[in-house]
Amino acid sequence: MLRKELPALAEKVTEELRSESPALSALLADLGAEESRRAVEQAMLVALGYQESAERVRRPRDLVVTPLPVAPARRELFAALSGAKGVSDVALAEVARCAGWPVPARVQAIALASPAEAPQLAAALGDALIGTVDGDTCLLVPDPGTQTRARLEAALKGRVAAVGHAVPAGDTASSLRWARALLALSPGRGGPDARPAFVDDHLSALLLLQDESLARALSSRWLSPLDDLTPRQSERLEVTLLAWLEGGGAPEAAKVLQVHPQTVRYRLRQIEKLFGPALRDPRTRFELEMALRSRRLMAHVRRYRSRAGRRARAVASTIRPLGMAREARVNGL
C-alpha cells in the first residue's frame, strides 16, 4: 500500500516544498518535476527505514525507490536470462515453468530510471519480466515482434527509459547491457514530454563508446595533426572536416555548417596541409570520421556526467532523512 500511494504523496510534498521554501524552489526547478519527485520518494523511504541514505547514491537517476517485490521464481528466471546465474537449458525450463513465464524465442530489454509503476508497465507490455541489474530496474519484453515501436513509446511516455535491441532469449544479457548503457547516457529528467531512447537509433554511437580507452587511442592516432592548434582553431577544423567527410563535398558541408562554401574550401586547404595526401585514402577518411565522431561523443558524455554529478551532490546535500523524532510526526504513512 505504501508503494502504491508513495508517488502521489511525494508529488504533493514536492509542491509544498516548492511553494513554502524559496531556497528549495530553485533547486527543484533545476532538477525538473519527475526527478524532484523521485528524490522526495527517496527521502521518505530513508526516513521510514526502507532505503539507504541518498548520500550513497551514485547519480541522479539512482534517487529512486527500491524495486517492488518480485516472486522468487521470477527473480530466478530473470537472473538466469540476464546471465547473472548460469543454468542449464533443463533448469531454465523448470524455473520458467515455476514462474509461469514460458521463455520466448526473442526478448527485448527495457532499462528504467525509476521502478515506479514497473508492474503496471510489465502488464501493459505483454507480462514483461521484472528484475534489477546493478540497481537498474529492467523489464524483459517477451516476443518483441508483437510490441510495435509506437506501443512501446506510448507505454513509456513521460519516463526516462532506454529500449534495447530485440535478441534471441539466449542473448538477453546483450540487450540488457546496451539498454543500460544507453540509459546512462540519456538525460536524467522525466516529465510529460520525455520519450524513451532506442538502442536501434544509437548503434554506431554505442559501438564507438563501448571502449573509451580505444576511442581515445583512435583520436590520438588520427587527430594528432591538430594538437598544435588553439582549441578554437582545432574545433573549427574538426567540425569542418567531419561535415566534409559526411557530406562528400564543400557545398554540402557549407550547408551543414551554415557558412559560405568558400569558407569551407579555405578550411579544407588548411586541413590538407595538416593531414597531407592521406586524406585521399578511403581507409584514412573512414578512420578519421570514426575518430572525430568518437571525440564528439566522449565530449558529450563528459558534459552529461559533469551535470549529473552536480545534480546528485545538490540533492544529496539538501534532502536529509527526517530522523526518528520527526518520523513519528509524519502523518499518512
Side-chain angles (χ1 to χ4, degrees):
M1 184 171 66
L2 168 64
R3 295 186 181 282
K4 181 179 178 181
E5 300 296 334
L6 191 60
L9 182 59
E11 187 172 351
K12 292 180 182 178
V13 172
T14 303
E15 287 303 317
E16 288 293 325
L17 291 172
R18 186 176 287 111
S19 61
E20 299 295 332
S21 175
L24 279 175
S25 180
L27 173 63
L28 295 174
D30 181 60
L31 290 175
E34 181 65 17
E35 194 169 320
S36 298
R37 181 185 61 76
R38 293 201 305 268
V40 172
E41 285 184 13
Q42 165 84 15
M44 288 180 171
L45 287 173
V46 169
L48 292 169
Y50 287 98
Q51 181 94 355
E52 292 189 29
S53 172
E55 281 81 352
R56 299 190 61 180
V57 174
R58 298 191 307 274
R59 51 191 183 275
R61 65 186 182 85
D62 286 327
L63 296 174
V64 296
V65 299
T66 51
L68 291 165
V70 181
R74 290 205 163 200
R75 283 200 299 269
E76 291 286 321
L77 181 57
F78 184 94
L81 288 171
S82 66
K85 182 176 182 179
V87 297
S88 66
D89 291 342
V90 174
L92 179 64
E94 177 60 21
V95 173
R97 185 189 65 78
C98 294
W101 202 84
V103 178
R106 296 176 68 79
V107 298
Q108 187 170 22
I110 299 175
L112 303 172
S114 167
E117 300 179 357
Q120 294 91 322
L121 284 173
L125 296 173
D127 191 25
L129 199 64
I130 306 173
T132 59
V133 180
D134 294 334
D136 288 329
T137 299
C138 301
L139 305 177
L140 298 182
V141 180
D143 299 317
T146 64
Q147 304 291 336
T148 64
R149 180 165 179 145
R151 185 175 178 182
L152 288 170
E153 287 181 335
L156 297 169
K157 183 180 179 181
R159 297 175 175 84
V160 180
V163 181
H165 54 309
V167 296
D171 292 333
T172 299
S174 176
S175 188
L176 280 167
R177 174 190 176 191
W178 293 115
R180 295 179 60 239
L182 183 57
L183 182 66
L185 298 176
S186 301
R189 299 184 181 185
D193 297 328
R195 296 289 187 276
F198 287 79
V199 165
D200 286 341
D201 295 338
H202 302 276
L203 292 172
S204 60
L206 290 168
L207 185 63
L208 288 171
L209 287 173
Q210 67 175 317
D211 191 315
E212 291 187 28
S213 177
L214 281 179
R216 286 191 294 270
L218 182 70
S219 296
S220 177
R221 165 70 176 83
W222 289 105
L223 302 181
S224 57
L226 302 173
D227 289 348
D228 293 333
L229 303 180
T230 67
R232 183 176 179 181
Q233 291 171 328
S234 178
E235 171 68 15
R236 188 165 56 229
L237 295 188
E238 281 185 32
V239 297
T240 302
L241 178 55
L242 183 57
W244 176 71
L245 290 168
E246 291 176 336
E252 292 78 8
K255 289 179 183 178
V256 172
L257 299 175
Q258 297 183 335
V259 298
H260 195 279
Q262 195 60 31
T263 300
V264 172
R265 293 188 182 96
Y266 170 73
R267 293 179 186 175
L268 287 174
R269 286 194 292 271
Q270 292 180 292
I271 290 169
E272 191 168 7
K273 288 180 181 178
L274 290 168
F275 289 91
L279 284 175
R280 293 190 284 273
D281 176 54
R283 179 174 176 270
T284 298
R285 290 200 299 270
F286 172 72
E287 297 215 5
L288 270 173
E289 184 173 353
M290 287 181 63
L292 289 164
R293 285 178 174 272
S294 297
R295 179 172 285 188
R296 186 166 63 178
L297 286 167
M298 287 189 294
H300 167 76
V301 170
R302 285 194 298 271
R303 288 194 298 270
Y304 170 73
R305 287 173 178 168
S306 176
R307 290 196 300 269
R310 288 197 298 271
R311 289 199 298 270
R313 288 192 295 272
V315 172
S317 63
T318 304
I319 300 178
R320 302 294 187 191
L322 296 176
M324 295 300 294
R326 293 183 60 197
E327 182 178 323
R329 299 197 296 272
V330 177
N331 296 319
L333 290 179

